[in-house]
Amino acid sequence: MESNMFGDNYFCDRIGTKLIREGRFEEAIPWLEQVSLPYLSSLKISAYMAWRDYKKPRWFFNEKLFTIHEEPTQVKTNQKLDFCRDMINGITRVQSTTGEERARAKYDLATMYFQASCKGNCWYLGRYANSIYDNPQEYPNEKNFVAEAVRLLEEAASETSNFDLRQRCLYANAYIPYGEPYITYTYDSDYNQVPHYNTNTHEDKSMTDLADFYRANPTKCNSYVSRCDILRKFMD
């Protein structure tokens, strides 16, 4: 039961999860290796762990639960442990490759970082509950997975000469909610909504980069770019 608060499984899982949030993946592995699958299956987050995949780009997939309720579900593997190993391999791949392979490695690593962030579908890898109001910048003692994803995507987009990969990087970067919003609103004396634009934001820069890319390649862009209603509204 999840209420077994003082067993080895509980403490090993908690310590390993905290180390994940700090980006200390190698240190987390020995702790997570001690957590049993029956214990993981007793947790409410197992409902997510059984069905979601941190290697699927969040900007292309929004994985739903098959049930409305967070019912404990039997898991076949410790996904937190798998994630740590894949992150170590991903980081090594970035450090040991060059050129197009390195750009692709950065995109893949950014995918995993963002998925495991509080904004990703696989938030349960580093926490036990999630809220739409969670902001990675409010946790200064943790590694900012969202910021890491943005950095890697920007680097990959600038380094690759592959059209499809650059398109994916630009689209993903524009998708990610990071920093201050581009538009905020106030109301005038007649209660009319008044927009205020902040061009010194990640949202404005990333959307501008994507818009410029689309304008330069209107017939070559994939439909996920050409039919993006948010991009079209930004360009109007």
Side-chain angles (χ1 to χ4, degrees), residues 31 39 55 57 64 70 104 121 133 167 177 232 236:
W31 295 99
Y39 173 77
K55 292 184 179 180
K64 304 289 187 180
E70 295 178 338
R104 179 70 203 196
N121 269 335
Y133 300 107
Q167 178 178 221
R232 288 186 175 276
D236 288 342

Side-chain angles (χ1 to χ4, degrees), residues 130-168:
N130 192 40
S131 166
I132 61 172
Y133 300 107
D134 277 347
N135 184 343
Q137 293 171 294
E138 294 177 355
Y139 303 100
N141 295 324
E142 299 175 8
K143 192 174 187 69
N144 190 329
F145 285 9
V146 174
E148 282 298 299
V150 167
R151 177 183 66 81
L152 288 163
L153 288 169
E154 289 178 346
E155 290 177 1
S158 66
E159 293 171 8
T160 185
S161 58
N162 180 283
F163 182 88
D164 181 63
L165 180 57
R166 186 155 191 263
Q167 178 178 221
R168 287 171 178 263

Side-chain angles (χ1 to χ4, degrees), residues 25 54 57-59 83 87 91 94 103-120 136 143-158 168-178 202 206:
F25 307 116
Y54 53 81
R58 176 62 183 85
W59 34 91
F83 173 74
M87 288 300 292
I91 292 169
V94 167
R104 179 70 203 196
K106 288 184 176 183
Y107 174 82
D108 292 341
L109 187 59
T111 296
M112 293 192 291
Y113 263 125
F114 185 72
Q115 278 286 47
S117 76
C118 59
K119 299 298 183 181
K143 192 174 187 69
N144 190 329
F145 285 9
V146 174
E148 282 298 299
V150 167
R151 177 183 66 81
L152 288 163
L153 288 169
E154 289 178 346
E155 290 177 1
S158 66
R168 287 171 178 263
C169 290
L170 293 173
Y171 180 81
N173 198 32
Y175 169 86
I176 291 178
Y178 178 62
H202 166 263
S206 61

